[in-house]
Amino acid sequence: MLLSLVAVALSWAFFGPTFGRYRGRPSLHNALYSLGLLLFALAVSAEFLSKLLGAWNPFLYRLWYLTGAMHGVTFLGLGSLALLNPKAARGLLWVLLPFILYGFYLVVSAPLDFSQLPAPYAPSGKAFPEPSLTSPRLWTIPFNLLGTVLLAGVALYTTLLFWRKNPLRAQGTALIFLAALVLASTSTLNRFGVVGLEEAGRAIGVALLYLGVVLADRSVQYAGGRA
C-alpha cells in the first residue's frame, strides 16, 4: 500500500509541472507527455483506490484498464516521437485515433465478470471477455507494443544521435529509455504472473521518465507557433 501511495503521489506530482511547461511553451511533445502522465496517474490512482476498497468496482476497473492496461504507454511513446519528429507524431496520432476511440468504446461497453480475477483487486484484464476483436483485451497488445517501441526505440535512437551534438538532450532521452525498460519489465512480469513489483517499478519508472522529459525539453529550441 505504501509503494502504491508513493506511485500515485509521484505520478500527480510529475504531471503538474509537465502540464505547466506545456501551458508556458506549447509543444506537441509536452502535450503528449502531459496526457500520458495524466493517464498514468489516473491508472495508479484507480488501482490504489481499489485496494483501499478491498475490491474493484466497475467504474474504477474500466478507468484503470483504459488509462493503464490499454494506454499506459501509448501517448508517452507518441510524446517521444514528437520530441524527435512532431510531423510524424501528429500523422501517427491521426491514424491511431479511430482505433483509440474504438478501444474506448469496448472498455466502457464490454461486460465484466470479476469472479474471473485471481484476487478481488488484482490488476488483471481477466474480468473482460477473452481476447477478440470485440474484447478490450486484444487491443491492449498493439497499443502497448507500439507505445513501448516508440518510447524506448525513439529514446535510444535520439540518445545515440545527440550524444555529441547535444549532450543534455541525449542524457534526457537516455533516462526516458531507462524508464521505458523499467515500465515494460514490470508490466511483462505481471502478465506472466510475477506480481508485487508493479508499485516499485511504476514509482521508479515515472521518476526516470519525468527527469528525462525535463532534461530533453530544456534542450529543445522553441520557435513561435511551433507544434
Side-chain angles (χ1 to χ4, degrees), residues 20-113:
R21 283 199 308 278
Y22 165 71
R23 294 189 64 185
R25 296 186 302 182
S27 64
L28 182 59
H29 67 269
N30 270 333
L32 291 168
Y33 277 136
S34 296
L35 179 57
L37 285 172
L38 174 61
L39 296 182
F40 192 92
L42 288 171
V44 294
S45 297
E47 191 173 341
F48 178 69
L49 287 174
S50 74
K51 291 180 180 179
L52 285 180
L53 296 173
W56 288 109
N57 62 42
F59 173 76
L60 287 178
Y61 186 81
R62 294 182 194 275
L63 177 64
W64 164 77
Y65 202 84
L66 178 68
T67 59
M70 182 172 285
H71 291 305
V73 293
T74 304
F75 295 97
L76 295 175
L78 286 169
S80 287
L81 180 60
L83 187 64
L84 180 66
N85 190 327
K87 184 176 180 180
R90 188 181 294 106
L92 181 56
L93 181 59
W94 280 109
V95 170
L96 291 176
L97 186 58
F99 300 100
I100 292 172
L101 293 175
Y102 181 60
F104 173 79
Y105 165 75
L106 292 178
V107 170
V108 300
S109 63
L112 293 175
D113 182 2

Side-chain angles (χ1 to χ4, degrees), residues 4-210:
S4 294
L5 182 58
V6 170
V8 171
L10 287 176
S11 299
W12 286 109
F14 294 154
F15 162 71
T18 304
F19 183 65
R21 283 199 308 278
Y22 165 71
R23 294 189 64 185
R25 296 186 302 182
S27 64
L28 182 59
H29 67 269
N30 270 333
L32 291 168
Y33 277 136
S34 296
L35 179 57
L37 285 172
L38 174 61
L39 296 182
F40 192 92
L42 288 171
V44 294
S45 297
E47 191 173 341
F48 178 69
L49 287 174
S50 74
K51 291 180 180 179
L52 285 180
L53 296 173
W56 288 109
N57 62 42
F59 173 76
L60 287 178
Y61 186 81
R62 294 182 194 275
L63 177 64
W64 164 77
Y65 202 84
L66 178 68
T67 59
M70 182 172 285
H71 291 305
V73 293
T74 304
F75 295 97
L76 295 175
L78 286 169
S80 287
L81 180 60
L83 187 64
L84 180 66
N85 190 327
K87 184 176 180 180
R90 188 181 294 106
L92 181 56
L93 181 59
W94 280 109
V95 170
L96 291 176
L97 186 58
F99 300 100
I100 292 172
L101 293 175
Y102 181 60
F104 173 79
Y105 165 75
L106 292 178
V107 170
V108 300
S109 63
L112 293 175
D113 182 2
F114 290 128
S115 68
Q116 299 299 315
L117 295 178
Y121 51 80
S124 167
K126 291 184 177 181
F128 281 121
E130 290 296 318
S132 70
L133 290 176
T134 57
S135 170
R137 291 175 65 184
L138 176 68
W139 294 93
T140 59
I141 299 173
F143 282 126
N144 278 283
L145 181 61
L146 176 64
T148 301
V149 168
L150 288 176
L151 188 61
V154 173
L156 180 60
Y157 172 76
T158 308
T159 300
L160 298 175
L161 181 65
F162 289 99
W163 191 253
R164 292 185 178 180
K165 299 177 183 178
N166 191 334
L168 184 61
R169 187 168 184 176
Q171 292 165 16
T173 53
L175 289 174
I176 294 173
F177 174 71
L178 290 177
L181 292 184
V182 171
L183 294 173
S185 297
T186 54
S187 177
T188 301
L189 289 172
N190 176 266
R191 287 177 181 271
F192 283 97
V194 181
V195 297
L197 301 175
E198 297 91 343
E199 290 80 6
R202 289 166 186 163
I204 295 171
V206 75
L208 290 172
L209 178 67
Y210 175 75

